[in-house]
């Protein structure tokens, strides 16, 4: 190999690929197993051997632990995507939004601000999405996210880990119920960190700076050191600090409430008066964010068979503003009046003990996760639209009886505590009969405090003990999981035909209790809030307890797999697997608990290697049936209600191709096609037996309210939201020598098809759709010795790719067309991809 070429898999590759541009990402990140493979070198065949013979590159082996044992990725009968460390660095991946766009099977929705806290991303796989979720009272996630062996998924979404010194990301598409249990209904995403290595000292650092079009300047600094303490012990210390530049402008503006004539302004030159309230928060590039964190891991080998590995990791992200845009204000712009700040901090302590019991591998994994998120929000949209349409501003006055500015500015606080234990036993991988078995226990606590505040609000309208608080949620939620599981594999014909059966028995329980609602002076006679107290005793500072509910459930899931190794280079598999999501509690006293939903997957997949492993072609076709799926709607007085929505079907095809075309040129492509539709009407209410109602023609009666309905809210055949029918990538990467150094250039094209925004037809018509888009990333780099430098342009043509939409109040209110002249299409926000970004990074091994 000539001196200037990259040597993949070794130190030289780690140097040059560390912090390569985001455009480099796609060359590996087609989200395919094929793209997760390192490149290896092999000598030319004997027939071509000569002094001038060219060496060839082949695709090396990648090992994964998706099935709880170490295996060759190409031999695992699961549709699994892997992004290894070198690929994450080449992709310039720093957070969830950086890597999710390279995974065709994965989509997400940011709840943006709506009625919940910002900073939570709701993850979906294979089109298993109702478009709802993210509310603190809502369903548990359908995709499980894990840090090493420990779950990090909270009710409103997983923690967003800074992607530095990460060994790999494994994405398992389809139900993973038997090995991963609840909330891995549609799949699982595993983030695997690099472990301490007693073998040698190692250290590196990376520095980067970027400029966002229409925005500011960002920067990143990262460092790692691995220190051997003895021949059997080592410690690994990692730290990072990142500044994300803002690119949304908070433009000066005013808003007048029709009921009172009071005008509010966010301009700096505002002069306050009786009817003019000044807030002065307009500024450019106001959606910036700062992240800092660290990880310390210790590994001690007690002897040849046993080791212990404690880890402590933490991170804090402080962000401002909103990353969405209001089209009525302008491109990449909003007009907001109150401070918007989000402080998301978390830490996790984990302990893994590994050893041998006879010739079986035994693993015990424990984790304790603490996550605290506090947020200040601007909620003037909600106040303005309800005053405009309903005249609600006349209900807000001060202690003297004068009308006041009705603008709401909430404070949200979510405190999570998650404890989990897992004990797992794995038989030797070379046995003809193989077993994976274990037990799992988890307890997740969510401590909730949401205050919807109005300045100078009369004491009679304020929740007792909470000044200026019109509405208070002060609640505690517990979700508990207990299960035992096992998978048994038998080689009918060794190295040719293998069968696997799996089963998981689970018992889940949940409790939800506390206070939510208004003061008795504001809402007398209410069934909740102070007028609906069920206990005279205060609850966690709130006036009383006004609801207290519990739910329990149990059951089992199964899996059957048959794998045929047609040749050593070609495998075909058939799988039938199940996943589920636990049921839960509705706060509304008139509604029963919602039931668990289940996903059944039937899949035919293949993994193949060609031309002496210079090309891999993998894929799967499948049909998934989603029964009794959970869907939340906004009920009376804005209270979320979760109902079961009967069933849906997802047909899909996923395929990945990676080709080392020449020694210098690599081409890669990946696609995902989904047809996801309802197979029964969604009527928006359940029957007397708490089961979904599917027969609801116009003129029929809602069995829960007695109201006449206009027909199904979403009829049979309605397309499921958020996921595109087609998503794909096409990438070309060329490496070359520059004197005694190595260089590369790369271009990548990503296409995402159009998506719908809601399951409900009315909401969909008000929100509008998410159009298809193309994105082009370009990059180039140079490596010499132990250093590398790279430049990149992401979103080279500065496209506005719409990722999600939301409104601050019920879309039927905020999306009311033509009601207000300055908002002809209502007030719906759009979250766009980051504008064109130019960056440069430098990395060095020490």
């Amino acid at each position: 190999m000539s001196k200037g070429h990259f040597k993949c898999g070794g130190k030289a590759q780690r140097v040059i690929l560390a912090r390569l541009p985001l455009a480099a990402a796609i060359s590996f990140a087609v989200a395919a197993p094929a793209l997760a493979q390192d490149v290896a070198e092999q000598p030319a065949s004997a027939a071509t051997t000569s002094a001038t013979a060219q060496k060839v590159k082949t695709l090396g082996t990648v090992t994964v632990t998706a099935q709880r044992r170490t295996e060759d990725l190409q031999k695992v009968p699961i549709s699994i995507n892997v992004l290894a460390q070198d690929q994450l660095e080449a992709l310039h991946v720093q957070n969830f939004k950086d890597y999710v766009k390279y995974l065709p099977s994965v989509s997400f929705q940011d709840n943006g601000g709506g009625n919940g806290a910002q900073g939570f991303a709701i993850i979906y796989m294979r089109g298993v999405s109702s478009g709802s979720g993210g509310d603190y009272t809502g369903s548990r996630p359908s995709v499980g996210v894990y840090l090493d062996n420990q779950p990090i998924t909270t009710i409103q979404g997983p923690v967003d880990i800074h992607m530095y010194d990460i060994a790999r990301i494994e994405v398992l598409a389809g139900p993973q119920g038997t090995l991963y249990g609840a909330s891995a209904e549609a799949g699982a995403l595993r983030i695997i960190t690099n472990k301490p290595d007693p073998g040698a000292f190692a250290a590196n650092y990376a520095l980067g700076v970027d400029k966002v079009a229409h925005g500011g300047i960002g920067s990143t600094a990262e460092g790692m050191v691995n220190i051997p303490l003895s021949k059997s012990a080592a410690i690994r210390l990692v730290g990072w600090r990142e500044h994300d530049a803002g690119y949304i402008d908070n433009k000066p503006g005013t808003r007048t409430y029709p009921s009172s004539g009071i005008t509010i302004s966010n301009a700096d030159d505002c002069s306050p008066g009786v009817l003019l309230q000044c807030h002065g928060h307009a500024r450019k590039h106001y959606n910036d964010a700062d992240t800092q964190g660290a990880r310390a891991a210790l590994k001690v080998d007690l002897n040849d068979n046993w080791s212990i590995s404690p880890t402590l990791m933490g991170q804090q992200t402080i962000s401002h503003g909103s990353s969405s845009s209001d089209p009525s204000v302008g491109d990449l712009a909003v007009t907001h009046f109150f401070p918007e700040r989000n402080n998301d901090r978390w830490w996790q302590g984990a302990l893994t003990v590994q050893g041998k019991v006879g010739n079986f591998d035994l693993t015990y994994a424990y984790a304790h996760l603490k996550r605290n998120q506090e947020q200040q929000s601007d909620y003037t949209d909600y106040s303005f639209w309800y005053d405009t349409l309903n005249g609600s501003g006349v209900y807000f006055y001060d202690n003297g009886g004068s009308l006041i500015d009705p603008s709401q500015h909430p404070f949200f606080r979510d405190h999570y505590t998650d404890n989990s234990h897992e004990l797992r036993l794995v038989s030797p991988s070379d046995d003809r009969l193989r077993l994976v078995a274990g037990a799992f226990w988890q307890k997740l606590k969510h401590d909730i405090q949401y205050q919807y505040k109005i300045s100078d609000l009369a004491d009679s309208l304020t929740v007792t003990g909470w000044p200026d608080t019109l509405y208070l949620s002060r609640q505690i939620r517990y979700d508990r999981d207990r299960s035992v599981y096992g998978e048994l594999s038998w080689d009918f014909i060794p190295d040719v035909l293998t069968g696997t059966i799996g089963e998981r028995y689970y018992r889940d329980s949940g409790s939800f209790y506390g206070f939510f609602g208004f003061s008795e002076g504001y809402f007398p006679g209410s069934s909740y809030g102070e007028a609906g107290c069920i206990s005279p005793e205060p609850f966690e500072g709130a006036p009383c307890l006004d609801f207290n509910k519990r739910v329990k459930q149990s059951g089992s899931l199964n899996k059957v797999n048959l794998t045929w190794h047609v040749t050593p280079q070609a495998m075909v598999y058939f799988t039938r697997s199940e996943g589920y999501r636990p049921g839960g509690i509705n706060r509304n006293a008139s509604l029963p608990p919602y039931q668990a939903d289940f996903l059944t997957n039937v899949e035919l997949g293949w993994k193949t290697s060609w031309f002496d492993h210079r090309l891999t072609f993998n894929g799967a076709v499948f049909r998934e049936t989603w029964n009794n799926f959970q869907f939340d709607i906004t009920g009376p007085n804005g209270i979320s209600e979760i109902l079961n929505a009967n069933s849906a079907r997802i047909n899909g095809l996923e395929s990945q191709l990676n080709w080392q075309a020449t020694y210098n040129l690599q081409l890669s492509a990946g696609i995902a096609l989904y047809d996801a539709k309802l197979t029964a009407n969604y009527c928006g209410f359940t029957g007397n037996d708490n089961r979904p109602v599917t027969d609801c023609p116009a003129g029929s009666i809602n069995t829960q309210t007695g109201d006449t309905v206009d027909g199904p809210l979403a009829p049979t055949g309605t397309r499921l939201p958020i996921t595109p029918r087609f998503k794909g990538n096409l990438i070309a990467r060329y490496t070359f020598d520059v004197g005694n150094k190595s260089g590369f250039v790369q271009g990548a094209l990503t296409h995402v098809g159009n998506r719908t925004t809601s399951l409900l037809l009315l909401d969909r018509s008000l929100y509008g759709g998410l159009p298809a888009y193309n994105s082009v990333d370009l990059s180039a780099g140079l490596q010499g010795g132990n250093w590398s430098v790279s430049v990149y342009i992401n979103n080279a043509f500065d496209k506005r790719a719409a990722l999600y939409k939301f409104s601050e109040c019920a879309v039927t209110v905020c999306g009311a067309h033509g009601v207000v002249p300055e908002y002809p299409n209502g007030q719906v926000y759009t979250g766009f991809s980051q504008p064109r970004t130019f960056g440069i990074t430098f990395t060095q091994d020490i």
Side-chain angles (χ1 to χ4, degrees):
M1 172 174 163
S2 57
K3 185 176 181 180
H5 283 302
F6 296 107
K7 182 179 180 181
C8 298
K11 180 178 179 182
Q13 186 199 26
R14 289 195 299 271
V15 173
I16 189 162
L17 290 183
R19 314 318 305 156
L20 289 185
L22 188 58
I26 307 182
S27 70
F28 297 100
V30 177
L35 300 186
Q37 302 185 48
D38 297 329
V39 177
E41 293 178 11
Q42 293 184 357
S45 66
T48 60
T49 303
S50 69
T52 59
Q54 292 288 319
K55 295 180 180 179
V56 296
K57 288 182 181 177
T58 62
L59 302 173
T61 300
V62 171
T63 57
V64 297
T65 55
Q67 295 191 122
R68 306 300 198 179
R69 62 170 80 241
T70 302
E71 299 173 287
D72 178 355
L73 174 66
Q74 287 294 105
K75 305 298 182 182
V76 178
I78 298 175
S79 182
I80 175 174
N81 305 327
V82 177
L83 298 176
Q85 176 176 347
D86 291 341
Q87 298 156 339
L88 294 169
E89 292 171 347
L91 294 164
H92 197 71
V93 166
Q94 294 183 332
N95 54 42
F96 169 76
K97 290 183 181 178
D98 286 342
Y99 66 78
V100 71
K101 62 182 177 179
Y102 306 118
L103 304 172
S105 64
V106 182
S107 56
F108 79 99
Q109 178 173 268
D110 193 315
N111 56 14
N115 292 322
Q118 296 181 27
F120 292 106
I122 310 303
I123 305 173
Y124 309 109
M125 284 190 186
R126 284 189 168 179
V128 181
S129 164
S130 64
S132 61
D135 189 278
Y136 66 92
T137 66
S139 305
R140 293 170 65 173
S142 63
V143 174
V145 181
Y146 299 81
L147 176 61
D148 293 321
N149 288 304
Q150 295 81 19
I152 54 171
T153 306
T154 58
I155 299 301
Q156 294 167 287
V159 299
D160 191 358
I161 298 171
H162 182 83
M163 292 287 108
Y164 175 66
D165 196 47
I166 300 298
R168 66 186 181 276
I169 297 174
E170 299 178 3
V171 181
L172 289 64
Q176 304 298 324
T178 53
L179 290 184
Y180 293 92
S183 293
E185 178 182 44
L189 191 155
R190 307 178 68 228
I191 300 169
I192 312 298
T193 61
N194 283 319
K195 303 304 186 289
D197 180 9
F201 174 86
N204 64 53
Y205 69 92
L207 302 173
V209 64
D210 61 76
K211 174 65 173 69
V212 182
H214 320 284
I217 296 175
S219 60
T220 305
E222 304 161 325
M224 179 280 295
V225 59
N226 182 86
I227 305 172
L229 303 177
S230 68
K231 293 182 179 180
S232 58
I235 189 171
R236 194 177 191 96
L237 304 174
V238 185
W240 57 88
R241 187 178 184 90
E242 174 188 353
H243 173 71
D244 295 322
Y247 52 87
I248 301 291
D249 293 340
N250 188 12
K251 292 188 175 182
T254 62
R255 172 169 273 172
T256 300
Y257 290 98
S259 294
S260 62
I262 293 174
T263 298
I264 57 175
S265 170
N266 67 346
D268 291 333
D269 58 356
C270 173
S271 299
V274 176
L275 295 179
L276 180 61
Q277 303 292 320
C278 300
H279 299 290
H281 291 286
R283 69 179 178 90
K284 294 175 70 66
H285 314 159
Y286 94 133
N287 63 318
D288 59 331
D290 291 285
T291 299
Q292 57 186 351
R295 183 175 81 246
L298 174 68
K299 184 171 189 267
V300 179
D301 295 325
L302 303 176
N303 54 39
D304 291 341
N305 292 327
W306 289 87
S307 67
I308 58 172
S309 302
T311 302
L312 183 63
M313 183 174 181
Q315 180 176 286
Q316 180 181 41
T317 299
I318 297 177
S319 58
H320 303 94
S322 170
S323 294
S324 55
S325 179
D326 183 346
S328 64
V329 176
D331 180 41
L332 301 177
V334 296
T335 296
H336 285 178
F337 300 89
F338 286 84
E340 295 178 283
R341 184 178 186 272
N342 186 35
N343 184 355
D344 186 5
R345 59 193 186 275
W346 60 269
W347 65 269
Q348 184 191 72
L351 175 67
T352 301
V353 180
Q354 295 175 301
K356 291 280 189 181
V357 177
N359 62 348
F360 281 63
D361 294 322
L362 181 69
T363 300
Y364 168 72
Y366 165 74
H368 176 79
L369 173 69
K370 291 280 288 186
R371 183 183 192 182
N372 297 329
Q373 186 177 64
E374 297 176 351
Q375 178 187 343
Q376 295 171 272
S377 293
D378 180 276
Y379 226 43
T380 54
D381 291 356
Y382 183 97
S383 304
F384 171 77
W385 284 94
Y386 274 90
D387 184 42
T388 300
L389 298 178
N390 303 317
S392 62
V394 299
Y395 299 111
F396 305 119
Y397 47 84
D398 60 20
N399 285 329
S402 300
L403 292 180
I404 59 173
D405 174 5
S407 301
Q408 294 189 37
H409 45 99
F411 173 79
F412 300 145
R413 191 203 71 184
D414 296 276
H415 286 188
Y416 286 100
T417 304
D418 190 6
N419 288 285
S420 64
H421 304 261
E422 183 172 13
L423 185 65
R424 183 170 64 251
L425 195 65
V426 180
S427 66
S429 59
D430 54 359
D431 286 355
R432 188 172 183 181
L433 180 66
R434 297 178 297 280
L435 172 70
V436 176
F440 177 77
W441 179 90
Q442 181 182 23
K443 180 181 179 182
L444 175 62
K445 177 184 178 182
H446 187 187
D447 186 335
I448 303 155
Q449 179 184 315
Y450 281 22
Q451 294 173 257
Y452 293 81
K453 304 175 71 174
I454 297 177
S455 299
D456 301 321
L457 187 64
D459 293 341
S460 62
L461 305 179
T462 297
V463 175
T464 302
W466 298 77
D468 292 340
T469 300
L470 174 70
Y471 184 97
L472 174 69
S473 288
R474 187 68 185 93
Q475 302 158 353
I476 303 293
R477 174 174 176 171
Y478 283 100
D479 291 276
R480 302 174 179 86
D481 303 315
R482 297 176 179 85
S483 58
V484 293
Y485 64 87
E487 285 194 1
L488 193 66
S489 299
W490 169 255
D491 293 335
F492 295 104
I493 305 175
D495 300 322
V496 176
L497 188 64
T498 302
T500 299
I501 58 173
E503 194 84 12
R504 189 180 192 102
Y505 296 91
Y506 62 84
R507 178 172 295 177
D508 300 319
S509 63
S511 56
F512 201 4
Y513 53 91
F515 175 92
F516 72 100
F518 303 94
S519 70
E520 189 166 9
Y522 180 78
F523 201 164
S526 172
S527 60
Y528 60 94
E530 291 191 51
C533 290
I534 61 175
S535 168
E537 299 298 323
F539 172 78
E540 299 289 334
C544 64
L545 194 74
D546 66 357
F547 80 105
N548 187 354
K549 295 186 176 184
R550 289 172 171 78
V551 65
K552 293 182 179 180
Q553 59 208 324
S554 61
S556 65
L557 304 166
N558 61 69
K559 171 183 174 180
V560 178
N561 173 269
L562 188 65
T563 301
W564 177 28
H565 294 276
V566 183
T567 72
Q569 290 77 39
M571 177 185 76
V572 179
Y573 67 88
F574 169 82
T575 298
R576 184 192 181 279
S577 55
E578 296 178 337
Y580 88 111
R581 190 167 46 160
I585 296 165
N586 277 299
R587 293 182 298 170
N588 189 327
S590 65
L591 291 179
Y594 54 93
Q595 303 172 14
D597 58 21
F598 296 87
L599 185 70
T600 302
N601 175 56
V602 178
E603 179 174 332
L604 179 66
W606 64 92
K607 293 188 176 181
T608 63
S609 175
W610 305 81
F611 311 124
D612 294 326
H613 206 53
R614 289 178 57 198
L615 182 147
T616 56
F617 175 52
N618 302 335
V621 292
F622 63 87
R623 168 171 285 190
E624 294 184 336
T625 303
W626 195 14
N627 288 321
N628 210 36
F629 72 85
Q630 298 161 14
F631 182 70
D632 67 67
I633 61 174
T634 302
N637 300 308
I639 299 174
S640 294
E641 299 177 353
I642 299 92
L643 305 176
N644 292 95
N646 211 285
S647 61
R649 184 201 66 231
I650 303 101
N651 294 327
L653 180 148
E654 299 160 348
S655 183
Q656 309 89 27
L657 178 73
N658 193 42
W659 181 28
Q660 190 67 43
T662 70
Y663 187 86
N664 301 90
L665 178 63
Q666 185 179 31
L667 303 173
S668 51
I671 63 170
L673 297 96
Y674 300 119
D675 179 27
K677 296 178 179 178
L678 288 182
T679 54
N681 291 334
Y682 174 58
C683 296
F685 56 92
T686 58
N688 295 328
D689 58 356
N690 196 30
R691 295 187 176 278
V693 173
T694 60
D695 185 16
C696 51
S700 59
I701 303 300
N702 182 324
T703 57
Q704 291 174 322
T705 65
D707 297 331
T708 301
V709 301
D710 295 327
L713 302 181
T716 300
T718 299
R719 179 182 170 191
L720 299 186
I722 307 303
T723 301
R725 288 193 176 98
F726 174 81
K727 182 179 179 181
N729 301 307
L730 179 63
I731 308 99
R733 178 183 176 88
Y734 187 81
T735 59
F736 53 89
D737 295 335
V738 182
N740 63 349
K741 300 177 178 61
S742 300
F744 79 91
V745 292
Q746 181 170 286
L749 170 67
T750 301
H751 175 80
V752 177
N754 67 75
R755 293 134 291 147
T756 61
T757 49
S758 176
L759 181 68
L760 305 182
L761 298 188
L762 176 59
D763 288 6
R764 185 181 297 184
S765 68
L766 296 173
Y767 276 125
L770 297 170
Y773 65 88
N774 297 311
S775 179
V776 174
D777 295 341
L778 305 171
S779 60
L782 186 68
Q783 181 233 342
N786 67 340
W787 59 268
S788 70
V789 63
S790 60
V791 295
Y792 59 93
I793 303 176
N794 294 331
N795 191 7
F797 297 103
D798 200 24
K799 296 293 185 180
R800 296 288 178 270
L803 304 178
Y804 56 89
K805 293 186 177 182
F806 72 94
S807 63
E808 280 192 352
C809 50
V811 69
T812 51
V813 177
C814 282
H817 293 189
V819 174
V820 181
E822 58 265 41
Y823 300 102
N825 298 314
Q827 192 165 15
V828 174
Y829 292 83
T830 301
F832 292 107
S833 60
Q834 185 163 302
R836 180 175 54 238
T837 302
F838 172 81
I840 184 169
T841 61
F842 177 82
T843 301
Q844 186 175 27
D845 281 356
I846 302 173

